[in-house]
Amino acid sequence: MRIGMIGLGGMGAHMVRRLIEDGYECVAYDKSAKAVRAAAAVGALGASSTADLIARLPAPRTIWVMVPAAAVDEVLGHLQPQLAAGDILVDGGNSHYSDDIRRAAALRAQGIHYLDVGTSRGVLGLVQGYCLMIGGDQDVFETLEPIFGTLSPGGRIAERRAAARPARTGASAPKEGRRHGAENEDALAMAAMGYLYCGPSGAGHFVKMVLNGIEYGVMAAYAEGLSVLQGADANRCEPRKSADAHSEPLGHSRLLEYRFNIAAITEVWRHGSIVSSKLLDLMARALAADPSLSGYSGHVSDSGEERWAVQTAIEMGLPAHVLSAALYARFASRGNGEFAEKAFGAMRLGFGGQGERKG
């Protein structure tokens, strides 16, 4: 089978390699000619344009788009006039689920199929495989299921899926029984391999949006906990050394005289603790290389999915305290709260707050 890949960044390029290693033919295109040459060096067919990519694919075509969310509509705008009924487009980036619903409807009118695939694991996916959350028409998903099997952690060889998947119940089985019986077992077997059909258009990216929201919250919890460990020596923690008669003093500071080896603590947590995770693995690796994290600016970006998750929770009227706090922490890391902090200082100074000062 031959598949087209548009977008050869860290994830797209690694997906091409993983597919080629499992026997697929890949036609690869990127605006960067250097990225196309790199893909060609590992066995891909390099394309000079989207038109060239389409010309190299047999009908019906399968094209996976792996570009930033803001660029998807532009890419689809180039592709759509060149495609035909029966072709399949896959958006594996981080689009908003509402955009998926809109795009799927527009493409369906032309007979073109569209799947939205939330893709997790970043550049680690080349070796470890990708967690894939898929939305769209189920029959189209099933057509491309061997590809998802190859890209996922547990299904590098597509035949494994057939062995792991329970036999489908006959068509005469009650619908309710299928939903709670065979279909549930089928979904669990699929999920155990690292990919899942989540529902109609938008479902894949909706699930990925929530995943990213959780990821932000977990990262923030690790960061705050490590900050408490780092501050456990009252004698070296600068804010506590500063004399400030108008701030609450640290109680029992003599009890806080620890100099924790935080790199070693994160390492021991990785082995047998309940908070072990891939994120903790990354944290431990960073601390082992740079125990004071002096090489990091503390400026943390957000890619958009966390905002969407919080906004969606607001629209649903659901509390999302941790997700919201984690997002705001990222804003603060970029200095976006500086004016608000100055406003607090101005008010405190205005009613006699010693310790507050003008810049």
Side-chain angles (χ1 to χ4, degrees):
M1 181 177 183
R2 182 176 290 189
I3 181 173
M5 179 69 73
I6 297 178
L8 302 173
M11 292 179 72
H14 287 172
M15 286 180 166
V16 167
R17 286 185 58 184
R18 195 169 172 91
L19 288 165
I20 288 172
E21 288 172 6
D22 205 26
Y24 287 90
E25 293 183 340
C26 289
V27 183
Y29 171 71
D30 191 279
K31 287 183 177 180
S32 166
K34 181 179 179 181
V36 174
R37 288 194 297 270
V42 298
L45 301 173
S48 59
S49 65
T50 57
D52 184 29
L53 178 139
I54 290 171
R56 290 168 177 257
L57 293 172
R61 308 170 187 90
T62 296
I63 302 173
W64 190 301
V65 178
M66 205 68 191
V67 300
V72 174
D73 280 331
E74 178 185 355
V75 172
L76 296 189
H78 287 300
L79 292 174
Q80 190 169 352
Q82 306 174 69
L83 298 179
D87 291 343
I88 302 173
L89 284 173
V90 177
D91 176 11
N94 284 320
S95 292
H96 193 284
Y97 70 94
S98 64
D99 290 329
D100 295 318
I101 296 171
R102 168 178 56 82
R103 292 168 187 153
L107 291 165
R108 190 177 296 115
Q110 193 177 329
I112 300 169
H113 307 295
Y114 176 89
L115 294 178
D116 54 279
V117 180
T119 307
S120 182
R121 202 176 288 259
V123 295
L124 301 175
L126 172 60
V127 175
Q128 300 177 4
Y130 300 91
C131 175
L132 303 173
M133 296 142 275
I134 302 135
D137 292 340
Q138 187 165 5
D139 58 342
V140 180
F141 156 75
E142 291 175 353
T143 298
L144 297 191
E145 191 170 357
I147 292 174
F148 302 133
T150 288
L151 292 173
S152 68
R156 191 71 181 259
I157 305 301
E159 284 77 9
R160 295 178 186 172
R161 167 70 175 139
R165 185 174 190 168
R168 290 184 178 274
T169 306
S172 61
K175 184 177 181 181
E176 191 71 15
R178 286 179 57 79
R179 181 162 59 247
H180 296 294
E183 289 188 2
N184 186 54
E185 291 177 7
D186 192 24
L188 291 174
M190 189 190 310
M193 299 181 72
Y195 66 96
L196 181 67
Y197 173 71
C198 297
S201 294
H205 281 147
F206 191 101
V207 175
K208 177 59 162 53
M209 172 186 74
V210 175
L211 170 70
N212 280 28
I214 293 170
E215 174 190 315
Y216 277 35
V218 173
M219 291 171 70
Y222 280 134
E224 291 180 8
L226 297 179
S227 178
V228 173
L229 288 172
Q230 193 274 339
D233 182 356
N235 294 316
R236 70 172 178 172
C237 188
E238 189 62 31
R240 289 168 179 165
K241 290 169 63 177
S242 302
D244 183 355
H246 299 276
S247 296
E248 182 69 20
L250 175 66
H252 304 294
S253 60
R254 68 184 182 281
L255 300 180
L256 290 173
E257 297 179 353
Y258 301 110
R259 285 185 173 270
F260 289 121
N261 184 332
I262 301 176
I265 289 171
T266 56
E267 181 63 25
V268 76
W269 283 352
R270 293 180 58 231
H271 302 281
S273 88
I274 197 67
V275 299
S276 59
S277 72
K278 297 295 183 183
L279 291 173
L280 183 61
D281 293 346
L282 297 174
M283 186 71 260
R285 188 182 309 163
L287 285 166
D290 183 0
S292 66
L293 300 181
S294 58
Y296 297 86
S297 67
H299 183 288
V300 186
S301 63
D302 68 286
S303 56
E305 298 93 330
E306 175 75 357
R307 300 189 191 200
W308 302 339
V310 172
Q311 289 166 353
T312 302
I314 291 170
E315 292 167 3
M316 293 177 169
L318 296 175
H321 307 293
V322 174
L323 273 60
S324 301
L327 177 62
Y328 294 149
R330 294 204 176 198
F331 295 164
S333 79
R334 304 199 291 271
N336 293 345
E338 183 178 354
F339 185 82
E341 292 167 358
K342 289 180 178 181
F344 274 121
M347 289 183 281
R348 182 73 177 96
L349 182 62
F351 62 83
Q354 290 83 359
E356 309 299 330
R357 62 183 185 275
K358 293 184 177 181

